[in-house]
Amino acid sequence: MIYSKILGTGSYLPEKVLTNFDLEKMVDTSNDWIVERSGIRERHIAAADENAATLAEKAARAALDTAGVDAKEIDMIIVSSTTPHLVFPSTACLLQEKLGIAGCPAFDLNATACAGFMYGLSIADQYIRTGAIKKALVIGSEVMSRVVDWSDRTTCVLFGDGSGAMVLGASNEPGILSTHLHADGTHKDVLYLPQTTKSSPEFETVKMMGNQLFKLAVNTLGSLFDETLAANNIQKSEIDWLVPHQANMRIIEAMRKKLDLPMERVAITLDKQGNTSSASIPLALDEAVRDGRIKRGQLLIMEGFGGGLAWGSALVRY
Ligand code: UT7
């Protein structure tokens, strides 16, 4: 039996930090409102010369380093990003060039939004399990600060920039136990980002019906956990860690309760990073792995949920 094992993780956050107090000076909001309604205190903002590919390179190099894997061993690159630098070539191709590993397949998942990392992980896992490839780089990389309307308080306080990466490798030992992907286009209007083109009336930015999205997230993710546990025939008491998409602390809290986990067993970066869309799950995982909280052999459940709607989970023996 071939499994995909997480060989290493890495991440990168731009240097500039924008706090809620900074935002108070930009829009009609308050630190108290943002903390109470979302749990976010600050977020990182990319510099003018940074983009999804440069962020991805830093996260990828850190993951390769931790894994002890040479970039030349990578058989496939998957980058999830809703905020690519170019429509094409893909961010994955730009990254491939930076890593100097021309030849292997490299592609982006750009429309799976906040669920993108789960989609990337699932695709890489299928290729590894079938023996088609041995090692893959899966990355979420986002510059959300370039697609929010900085005069709209309902969205601009929520998002941040960053990149998280993972090196997956074929192993005889259990690693990724199962992945579960879903989408429902009937909810296309609750969260979307139109493309800016020559005929666009103005520069297009993220549009969100926050309240509806919140309810959909809580209900959908609850069922997703049931599905993930049932597929593996395990009880929630066997889960060691929840590594969730970081959109809202109240959503994460509902998921924690659903799994009966103490808050110390949830990887949280939302307070310091905001919602980094498809980068949030690998960013949270990398932090908890690096500071020693998540240990080898522990059982992790990961979930992502966002525009599409699209959502997905993974059960992983780390
Ligand atoms: O990553 C993809 C998935 N994303 C999500 O799942 C996000 C889900 N949604 C959310 O996280 C929450 O809905 C938000 C944090 C976006 C908003 O929280 P909420 O409790 O749903 O607030 P609301 O949208 O119902 O707004 C409540 C009030 C409104 O005022 P009125 O109409 O009650 O007078 C808003 O205008 O808060 C007002 N408001 C703000 N006030 C201060 C909205 N944004 C702000 C703000 N500062 N930044």
Side-chain angles (χ1 to χ4, degrees):
M1 178 95 182
I2 307 176
Y3 292 95
S4 320
K5 189 100 188 152
I6 300 176
L7 303 182
T9 59
S11 56
Y12 174 74
L13 291 163
E15 211 175 296
K16 183 180 169 186
V17 172
L18 186 75
T19 67
N20 291 350
F21 298 105
D22 295 327
L23 282 163
E24 283 182 354
K25 293 175 204 142
M26 297 162 63
V27 285
D28 179 17
T29 191
S30 68
N31 174 59
D32 288 350
W33 190 95
I34 303 171
V35 172
E36 190 190 313
R37 306 315 296 166
S38 74
I40 300 167
R41 292 178 185 276
E42 55 189 41
R43 69 287 291 143
H44 291 253
I45 305 291
D49 61 350
E50 291 184 308
N51 58 55
T54 65
L55 268 52
E57 182 189 5
K58 289 188 170 139
R61 288 197 188 278
L64 287 164
D65 194 43
T66 315
V69 168
D70 192 289
K72 293 191 171 50
E73 295 174 53
I74 295 298
D75 303 312
M76 177 178 280
I77 303 174
I78 305 176
V79 178
S80 168
S81 182
T82 23
T83 49
H85 176 44
L86 304 171
V87 174
F88 64 85
S90 66
T91 305
C93 279
L94 300 180
L95 172 64
Q96 186 194 49
E97 189 261 341
K98 289 174 189 298
L99 295 177
I101 52 172
C104 70
F107 60 93
D108 283 8
L109 300 166
N110 19 14
T112 39
C114 304
F117 192 81
M118 289 293 97
Y119 271 70
L121 192 69
S122 182
I123 294 168
D125 179 45
Q126 311 303 320
Y127 271 91
I128 290 174
R129 273 173 190 259
T130 57
I133 63 167
K134 293 232 168 348
K135 290 191 177 73
L137 247 179
V138 185
I139 300 171
S141 194
E142 302 283 5
V143 190
M144 296 302 290
S145 61
R146 304 231 171 107
V147 295
V148 293
D149 175 353
W150 286 100
S151 65
D152 173 13
R153 68 175 184 173
T154 67
T155 50
C156 77
V157 302
L158 302 173
F159 296 99
D161 302 339
S163 182
M166 189 182 274
V167 177
L168 285 176
S171 166
N172 296 325
E173 285 174 21
I176 295 178
L177 299 171
S178 70
T179 58
H180 306 267
L181 302 181
H182 296 280
D184 182 353
T186 60
H187 297 296
K188 65 187 190 310
D189 298 328
V190 293
L191 177 60
Y192 62 98
L193 171 58
Q195 180 134 16
T196 301
T197 60
K198 211 173 170 189
S199 58
S200 309
E202 57 189 24
F203 180 70
E204 299 283 5
T205 51
V206 171
K207 312 280 185 292
M208 182 166 115
M209 294 159 81
N211 215 274
Q212 270 175 258
L213 192 59
F214 185 98
K215 288 175 197 143
L216 283 163
V218 172
N219 292 334
T220 307
L221 292 173
S223 319
L224 185 62
F225 285 160
D226 291 338
E227 176 190 338
T228 310
L229 297 177
N232 291 278
N233 200 18
I234 65 159
Q235 304 300 314
K236 56 187 173 186
S237 56
E238 294 172 58
I239 301 281
D240 293 305
W241 281 92
L242 166 63
V243 186
H245 169 49
Q246 315 276 319
N248 186 305
M249 196 59 94
R250 290 177 292 140
I251 297 176
I252 295 175
E253 175 63 17
M255 294 309 105
R256 177 195 76 73
K257 281 200 184 129
K258 166 94 187 163
L259 293 171
D260 278 340
L261 276 174
M263 208 56 185
E264 307 81 70
R265 286 303 178 109
V266 184
I268 304 282
T269 49
L270 179 72
D271 51 338
K272 292 166 291 175
Q273 300 174 10
N275 181 347
T276 55
S277 189
S278 70
S280 84
I281 299 168
L283 273 163
L285 177 65
D286 187 50
E287 184 179 279
V289 163
R290 274 176 200 273
D291 67 21
R293 280 175 296 151
I294 293 185
K295 295 181 175 48
R296 284 287 175 196
Q298 289 185 322
L299 194 59
L300 326 179
I301 191 162
M302 302 178 186
E303 55 82 357
F305 175 90
L309 294 178
W311 62 99
S313 66
L315 188 76
V316 179
R317 180 70 66 190
Y318 178 65

